[in-house]
């Protein structure tokens, strides 16, 4: 066989397993059809109103505003907090770049805060040090953006206590944690503002979209105004402040409504996928799955693990390559933002003086296919590949012993 034929044969026998593809329920089309039959394509419309109401009810918040993306929601939150040129905004370092880009849109200065081990999220110690220094310099941040990584909530009690002490509002980036809880309360409802994303790879999707939520009804009414080009209420096409075109279309909100009906089911499925990975992989030498903190329930958006090369004999890079060769899409953990060329001038506070947690998680971390549509057979392909790679690379007698003891 020539290369192309081989490749085709390969793709037929080993179809691609994606990291977190969209998972439609089938009912989305009914909402879309309704939008078409009433010709309520845009702008806004009844699906948008209903989707906002459903999200607000699900979370137990007063108000929600549907927008074009999670990034737009963060940008609106920063605008509502009047973040301006030169202002400081603190942000988790271990996250997707979208958490911090809106800080730059406002010409403000990001300051990055390291993670801690138990949640992988913002370290309260690092945050406290950063705030103490900022207070001494007389330059407290206008906001702190706290990210809930891969569905796991950050240590909200500790983080909120510190922020309250300095009277700095929190924007909770819950883009990855819709359906998760912290001490029984929905993720995304702890900060002054919470934001969600319905991007294609998230736990539910509208193909593209986001939501800004808060109990501050007045602020969210202003968010609606800012998100529709800040058109003044009375006069014809009169504008007093700069606005954005950030609202969600009525068709996409219809997709969101159908997805909301299955959200709890999606959380259960992703948790089951995590449990299966855990059962099969947690005992391998050098492998640690992302922890779930006490009193939290993660939606397990992505099953994520760290792999210690000394104990497993395998590097993240090697395992990613083997998985990719098997036509399996796995990804490294987010590259910390304080290591990004984009943010090379930004300040950064590590967890402890000589302990850089986000950097270690990035060096050792890996996300496995976790879509709620993943079949048991597909998951077994991933599990077998990981097991095979590690058992064929174990390089010390100690780890072999450990391995047999557990299996
Ligand atoms: C996906 C994501 C965003 C951005 O959401 P978009 O809808 O893609 O703009 C922001 N923060 C985090 C942590 C994300 O994972």
């Amino acid at each position: 066989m020539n290369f192309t034929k081989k490749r085709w044969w390969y793709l037929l026998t080993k179809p691609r397993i994606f990291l977190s593809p969209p998972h439609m329920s089938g009912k989305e089309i009914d909402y879309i059809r309704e939008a078409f039959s009433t010709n309520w394509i845009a702008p806004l419309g009844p699906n948008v109103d209903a989707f906002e109401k459903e999200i607000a009810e699900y979370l137990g918040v007063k108000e929600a505003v549907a927008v074009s993306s999670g990034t737009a929601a963060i940008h609106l939150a920063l605008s509502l907090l009047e973040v301006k040129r030169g202002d400081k905004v603190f942000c988790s370092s271990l996250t997707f770049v979208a958490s911090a880009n809106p800080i730059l849109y406002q010409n403000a200065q990001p300051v990055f805060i390291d993670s801690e081990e138990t949640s992988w999220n913002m370290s309260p110690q690092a945050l406290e040090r950063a705030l103490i220094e900022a207070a001494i310099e007389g330059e407290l941040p206008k906001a702190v953006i706290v990210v809930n990584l891969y569905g796991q909530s950050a240590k909200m009690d500790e983080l909120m206590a510190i922020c309250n002490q300095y009277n700095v509002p929190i924007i909770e980036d819950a883009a990855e944690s819709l359906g998760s809880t912290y001490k029984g309360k929905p993720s995304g409802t702890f900060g002054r503002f919470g934001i969600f994303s319905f991007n294609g790879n998230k736990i539910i999707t509208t193909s593209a979209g986001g939501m800004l939520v808060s109990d501050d009804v007045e602020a969210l009414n202003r968010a609606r105004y800012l998100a529709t080009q800040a058109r003044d209420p009375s006069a014809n096409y009169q504008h007093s402040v700069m606005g954005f075109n950030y609202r969600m279309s009525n068709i996409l909100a219809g997709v969101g409504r159908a997805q909301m009906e299955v959200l709890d089911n999606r959380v259960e499925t992703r948790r089951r996928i995590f449990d299966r990975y855990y059962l099969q992989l947690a005992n391998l030498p050098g492998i640690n799955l992302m922890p779930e903190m006490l009193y939290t329930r993660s939606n397990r958006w992505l099953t994520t693990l760290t792999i210690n090369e000394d104990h497993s004999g395998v590097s993240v890079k090697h395992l990613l390559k083997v998985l990719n060769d098997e036509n399996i899409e796995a990804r490294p953990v987010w590259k910390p933002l304080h290591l990004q060329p984009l943010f090379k001038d930004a300040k950064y506070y590590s967890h402890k003086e000589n302990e850089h947690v986000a950097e270690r998680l990035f060096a050792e971390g890996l996300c496995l296919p976790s879509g709620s549509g993943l079949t048991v057979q597909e998951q077994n392909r991933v599990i077998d590949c990981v097991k095979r790679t590690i058992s064929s690379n174990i390089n010390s007698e100690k780890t072999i012993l450990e391995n047999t003891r557990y299996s």
Side-chain angles (χ1 to χ4, degrees):
M1 279 194 281
N2 64 29
F3 175 77
T4 328
K5 266 194 189 153
K6 245 190 204 161
R7 188 77 197 152
W8 272 109
W9 177 245
Y10 194 71
L11 291 179
L12 277 175
T13 52
K14 288 183 177 169
R16 183 108 173 124
I17 300 176
F18 290 100
L19 186 74
S20 180
H23 185 186
M24 295 294 106
S25 70
K27 284 189 71 180
E28 291 79 9
I29 202 75
D30 297 337
Y31 288 98
I32 293 173
R33 200 174 289 120
E34 191 186 314
F36 271 74
S37 68
T38 54
N39 201 32
W40 219 316
I41 308 300
L44 299 169
N47 277 336
V48 174
D49 296 341
F51 187 34
E52 289 177 345
K53 212 163 148 261
E54 284 155 13
I55 288 267
E57 270 166 21
Y58 180 87
L59 298 170
V61 294
K62 288 205 179 126
E63 197 74 36
V65 176
V67 292
S68 52
S69 70
T71 312
I74 299 172
H75 191 197
L76 284 169
L78 292 175
S79 304
L80 293 169
L81 294 171
E82 296 180 1
V83 171
K84 308 179 298 293
R85 182 179 295 278
D87 285 342
K88 291 212 162 95
V89 175
F90 290 3
C91 181
S92 304
S93 184
L94 190 62
T95 182
F96 181 47
V97 69
S99 301
N101 266 337
I103 303 171
L104 300 184
Y105 302 168
Q106 294 298 93
N107 297 302
Q109 283 177 33
V111 173
F112 294 111
I113 312 291
D114 199 7
S115 298
E116 55 81 37
E117 298 279 348
T118 49
S119 66
W120 290 27
N121 287 308
M122 189 180 282
S123 154
Q125 288 100 309
L127 175 66
E128 186 157 40
R129 262 191 293 119
L131 279 172
I132 289 171
E133 267 195 46
I136 291 170
E137 287 164 10
E139 279 202 304
L140 281 173
K142 278 282 188 71
V144 176
I145 300 174
V146 176
V147 180
N148 304 313
L149 214 59
Y150 302 121
Q152 167 67 61
S153 178
K155 291 188 158 175
M156 291 315 296
D157 277 352
E158 289 88 334
L159 296 171
M160 285 197 305
I162 298 164
C163 285
N164 287 342
Q165 217 176 314
Y166 292 90
N167 218 356
V168 178
I170 288 179
I171 298 169
E172 203 184 348
D173 180 347
E176 302 176 0
S177 64
L178 180 61
S180 304
T181 58
Y182 175 86
K183 300 193 176 172
K185 194 171 176 255
S187 189
T189 64
F190 290 86
R192 175 89 59 89
F193 299 103
I195 77 95
F196 295 93
S197 166
F198 309 112
N199 187 18
N201 63 359
K202 297 292 172 9
I203 191 152
I204 62 168
T205 182
T206 58
S207 77
M211 195 72 74
L212 176 66
V213 306
S214 179
D215 282 330
D216 186 342
V217 176
E218 210 176 300
L220 287 205
N221 282 334
R222 184 163 173 84
R224 286 202 177 87
Y225 160 78
L226 290 175
T228 46
Q229 309 284 19
R231 187 161 143 188
D232 290 346
S234 53
N236 295 330
Y237 295 108
Q238 178 175 296
H239 306 267
S240 314
V241 299
M242 182 185 80
F244 312 102
N245 182 9
Y246 273 172
R247 285 290 255 159
M248 183 182 276
S249 95
N250 196 52
I251 293 176
L252 300 194
V255 177
R257 293 184 69 191
Q259 289 271 287
M260 270 310 280
E261 292 176 15
V262 294
L263 171 59
D264 286 338
N265 171 285
R266 298 294 187 252
V267 173
E268 293 308 321
T269 307
R270 296 225 184 206
R271 286 183 64 85
R272 219 179 306 131
I273 288 168
F274 175 88
D275 289 345
R276 217 178 290 133
Y277 276 131
Y278 188 90
L279 213 64
Q280 297 291 326
L281 303 178
N283 289 336
L284 294 175
I287 296 272
N288 279 300
L289 281 95
M290 184 182 188
E292 184 172 50
M293 270 195 308
L294 221 54
Y295 313 117
T296 65
R297 188 170 188 270
S298 171
N299 66 13
R300 293 295 187 189
W301 171 53
L302 295 183
T303 291
T304 305
L305 54 81
T306 55
I307 175 162
N308 180 307
E309 193 174 350
D310 292 341
H311 295 148
S312 64
V314 175
S315 67
V316 171
K317 206 172 145 206
H318 180 66
L319 186 53
L320 282 172
K321 186 184 174 302
V322 176
L323 286 163
N324 188 54
D325 289 347
E326 286 287 314
N327 215 14
I328 294 166
E329 186 189 25
R331 291 276 178 89
V333 162
W334 300 126
K335 178 169 184 163
L337 298 185
H338 73 272
L339 299 179
Q340 300 284 358
L342 173 64
F343 297 116
K344 64 182 187 313
D345 298 325
K347 245 185 167 173
Y348 148 75
Y349 289 86
S350 59
H351 177 50
K352 291 181 187 157
E353 201 176 333
N354 285 313
E355 209 178 320
H356 301 264
V357 176
E359 290 181 15
R360 185 187 69 78
L361 293 171
F362 171 59
E364 299 188 344
L366 179 79
C367 307
L368 294 177
S370 309
S372 43
L374 190 74
T375 64
V376 174
Q377 289 86 335
E378 286 174 322
Q379 194 175 357
N380 285 341
R381 249 180 74 197
V382 181
I383 290 167
D384 289 346
C385 181
V386 174
K387 278 184 165 174
R388 239 184 303 120
T389 310
I390 289 179
S391 63
S392 66
N393 281 278
I394 292 173
N395 54 10
S396 79
E397 277 179 30
K398 182 180 156 285
T399 48
I400 291 170
L401 277 175
E402 250 174 41
N403 198 27
T404 43
R405 183 151 50 88
Y406 286 116
S407 56

